Amino acid sequence: MSSGHFKQDLFAQFARVGKALSNGNRLELLEFLAQGEHSVDALAKVSGLSVANTSQHLQQLRQSGLVLSRKEGLKVHYRLSGEDVVELMSVLRRVAERHLADVQQLVQSYLTVKDELEPVPRDELLERVRDDLVTVLDVRPPEEYAAGHVPGAINVPLDELEAHLEQLDPGQEIVAYCRGPHCILAFEAVARLREKGIAAHRLEDGFPEWKAAGLPVDMAG
Amino acid sequence: MSSGHFKQDLFAQFARVGKALSNGNRLELLEFLAQGEHSVDALAKVSGLSVANTSQHLQQLRQSGLVLSRKEGLKVHYRLSGEDVVELMSVLRRVAERHLADVQQLVQSYLTVKDELEPVPRDELLERVRDDLVTVLDVRPPEEYAAGHVPGAINVPLDELEAHLEQLDPGQEIVAYCRGPHCILAFEAVARLREKGIAAHRLEDGFPEWKAAGLPVDMAG
DNA sequence: CTTTTATTCAAGTAATTTATTGAATAGTTG
DNA sequence: CAACTATTCAATAAATTACTTGAATAAAAG
């Protein structure tokens, strides 16, 4: 049993997962799936890809083991195959951010205020939520909020931020989060709140990382 | 500043790292690099690839930020750009093993004894080493052992195992490790030792994971 | 049973990737 | 400086990937 091929076969299998991560559009689809289950055409809409193309990418993801699908009536719903996929994406992000100058440049030019925002670590937020010291804002679309959110968080999509300003306790600190560590929505929300003189911070990562860390999650209402 | 392209640009960058992981030969090179620094032709030899091909793969890995290089005389030495790359490989492995049936099958058919070996977790080994309760065997080639190993470990390449048998305290438990969680050397060593009636176990992962976890490491001698 | 909707399939094209080969470069050694 | 060694570069062929287009399914609704 020449085990000489074993190593190569095994690495070839690992490479299947690597291949799934080798395309930007697939990574974007994975980030949407990390927010919760989505149908093919919902994913096609948010990603801006054609339906056929989206379907093909999703099938590749399924073959690589990163997602699972479920048919319900006309629709096919895709979801991540486990929380470990969120962890894989997180580590991929971190490695890229640490070792690729282009990523550092992109983050700097689009998320300029990054350093000034003093992001709040997950555990710290959890404590402050328990002690009722902060108002937590979920700035994602309502569907994603409904599929799961940080306990006690209020869903305020970015374009409704101004309308909700008056309902917020101006004395209490605000922490905003969205899809992930590089999601601009939370950055933008914090920037706008600070313009109004409100003490606002950003959660270090987004909801998927919160959930993957095993922290408590609220659904729907 | 239409930030609409930001997300796509960012994911395209992350995909550069994914691309680096999308080829089995590159993953094998990364595993060798996780044992320590290596020159191009050393990597070409161990991987069985042509020198030119190896060089090109290494350049791709460098462009993706996963490895760094250093020229010394005629030789160019490549190394991982950080311990986070080891973590990325670990998570990739774990995800593939958990969600790809083909991987489970491969592991089962080549590492059949896997379940019987009762792998020892890192922290547990560290304790037992401190209390001098175990003999630790590093079954990798001498060069890799020299570049770093578990403190107190004895370097016994697999083909010298029989010769060293008599030097081992038959009463004391043995823990063997090699390059990583799927490296056959340690599996093989444990199997042979057990045939001789010696109590032997396998370290859960290999040396790179031990080092990446921040546990103590000995060099050379 | 026809129409509509959501998804997949199949075919085709352009672009990219992998590995091979032989030449080019840079540093070392006799 | 001529010969040698380690690495990279450049050109190529074969295979794979990404996306588009239009047709094929399959379930639901009229």
Side-chain angles (χ1 to χ4, degrees), chain B residues 22-41:
Chain B
S22 73
N23 176 282
N25 289 328
R26 276 195 297 273
L27 291 178
E28 192 179 350
L29 289 173
L30 283 174
E31 171 162 89
F32 283 123
L33 289 170
Q35 315 303 322
E37 211 180 45
H38 285 287
S39 67
V40 177
D41 76 329

Side-chain angles (χ1 to χ4, degrees), chain B residues 83-101:
Chain B
E83 296 297 333
D84 50 355
V85 178
V86 174
E87 196 195 345
L88 179 56
M89 298 259 292
S90 294
V91 178
L92 183 78
R93 269 194 152 99
R94 193 165 58 242
V95 168
E97 191 165 13
R98 204 181 291 175
H99 301 296
L100 286 177

